Amino acid sequence: DQQVKQNSPSLSVQEGRISILNCDYTNSMFDYFLWYKKYPAEGPTFLISISSIKDKNEDGRFTVFLNKSAKHLSLHIVPSQPGDSAVYFCAASALYNQGGKLIFGQGTELSVKP
Amino acid sequence: DVKVTQSSRYLVKRTGEKVFLECVQDMDHENMFWYRQDPGLGLRLIYFSYDVKMKEKGDIPEGYSVSREKKERFSLILESASTNQTSMYLCASQDRGLREGYGYTFGSGTRLTVV
């Protein structure tokens, strides 16, 4: 039972354009969502997060949107840069249900072409 | 500034060997986790621990065990390594009080190859 799904295994965009990475979830108890970025041979690093009481959070070039009715979140990167090329993982957590443990999606590999 | 350290970046082991993967964090976090990453499968939780001497099975515990004798150290043990355990192994820690948000701090990972 995949509670967090990233249905696009890969995405390719041109430098300077917008990258949109999508994530769907099934558990309505999730109250916090995060995005992690991972380069090859390195551990994932935290990128941005959003609480379920919000619908948008912005940090520089990165914006996360949450649509609770659709159980969908997305990460927008504007403008995309070659250094953004990495695997992006969506994660969700339900504090009172799962004690803060994160459930991860399958990941989307983003490639930004110069 | 290193916070979560995994003892080896790359390991090659033979089928049937007992393998120890070590993880140490210096942030005084209570919660620690072991995941494995495989292409197309994302990060899958093997075991986790919310306190010393405490352990809980994750989604794929078969073939693995763990040890948490000290707060800062969480070890993953492959009792008898098999080729299907070839993977990237990631350790993470988290503050129980979630004072830093829900986020994990990950180690750099151990790429294990079983031949």
Side-chain angles (χ1 to χ4, degrees):
Chain A
D1 178 26
Q2 189 89 34
Q3 297 185 68
V4 178
K5 296 181 183 180
Q6 293 175 257
N7 291 317
S8 298
S10 62
L11 175 68
S12 182
V13 300
Q14 209 65 31
E15 181 179 6
R17 307 294 288 268
I18 184 171
S19 295
I20 300 176
L21 294 92
N22 294 303
C23 179
D24 297 295
Y25 62 95
T26 57
N27 189 344
S28 58
M29 299 296 292
F30 287 144
D31 54 9
Y32 206 79
F33 303 89
L34 307 90
W35 285 93
Y36 280 81
K37 176 180 179 179
K38 186 183 184 297
Y39 293 117
E42 294 184 13
T45 55
F46 170 75
L47 191 57
I48 192 169
S49 63
I50 187 167
S51 164
S52 60
I53 62 173
K54 296 187 176 181
D55 54 20
K56 178 182 174 182
N57 188 28
E58 194 171 351
D59 183 2
R61 296 185 298 113
F62 303 92
T63 303
V64 56
F65 296 92
L66 176 62
N67 182 335
K68 282 191 294 183
S69 60
K71 293 190 175 70
H72 177 83
L73 66 156
S74 61
L75 174 69
H76 292 211
I77 307 173
V78 184
S80 300
Q81 300 173 354
D84 296 329
S85 297
V87 177
Y88 290 79
F89 291 100
C90 167
S93 180
L95 174 62
Y96 298 106
N97 181 259
Q98 298 174 15
K101 182 178 60 176
L102 297 184
I103 309 298
F104 288 88
Q106 304 96 312
T108 296
E109 184 170 10
L110 174 65
S111 176
V112 180
K113 310 283 187 192
Chain B
D1 189 41
V2 174
K3 298 180 177 179
V4 179
T5 303
Q6 293 184 233
S7 53
S8 304
R9 293 297 297 272
Y10 300 94
L11 274 180
V12 180
K13 296 292 182 181
R14 294 194 180 279
T15 300
E17 276 193 79
K18 190 169 187 176
V19 181
F20 293 85
L21 302 183
E22 305 288 345
C23 176
V24 177
Q25 51 96 2
D26 63 1
M27 296 169 289
D28 202 35
H29 285 171
E30 293 83 4
N31 301 348
M32 295 188 75
F33 306 84
W34 275 105
Y35 288 83
R36 62 179 281 179
Q37 181 201 358
D38 301 287
L41 299 177
L43 302 180
R44 295 182 292 167
L45 181 62
I46 306 171
Y47 266 96
F48 60 101
S49 170
Y50 287 155
D51 207 343
V52 176
K53 305 277 188 184
M54 179 268 184
K55 60 186 178 185
E56 294 273 357
K57 291 180 180 179
D59 300 317
I60 52 164
E62 296 79 19
Y64 302 95
S65 62
V66 290
S67 172
R68 185 119 183 248
E69 296 295 318
K70 294 185 177 181
K71 187 177 185 180
E72 67 271 18
R73 186 180 296 270
F74 192 35
S75 303
L76 179 69
I77 303 154
L78 285 66
E79 298 292 344
S80 177
S82 64
T83 55
N84 63 12
Q85 293 179 308
T86 292
S87 186
M88 167 70 92
Y89 289 87
L90 293 160
C91 174
S93 72
Q94 181 191 48
D95 171 39
R96 179 194 292 165
L98 304 177
R99 286 175 289 267
E100 301 160 19
Y102 284 56
Y104 292 172
T105 300
F106 280 93
S108 299
T110 296
R111 170 67 66 183
L112 173 67
T113 302
V114 182
V115 298

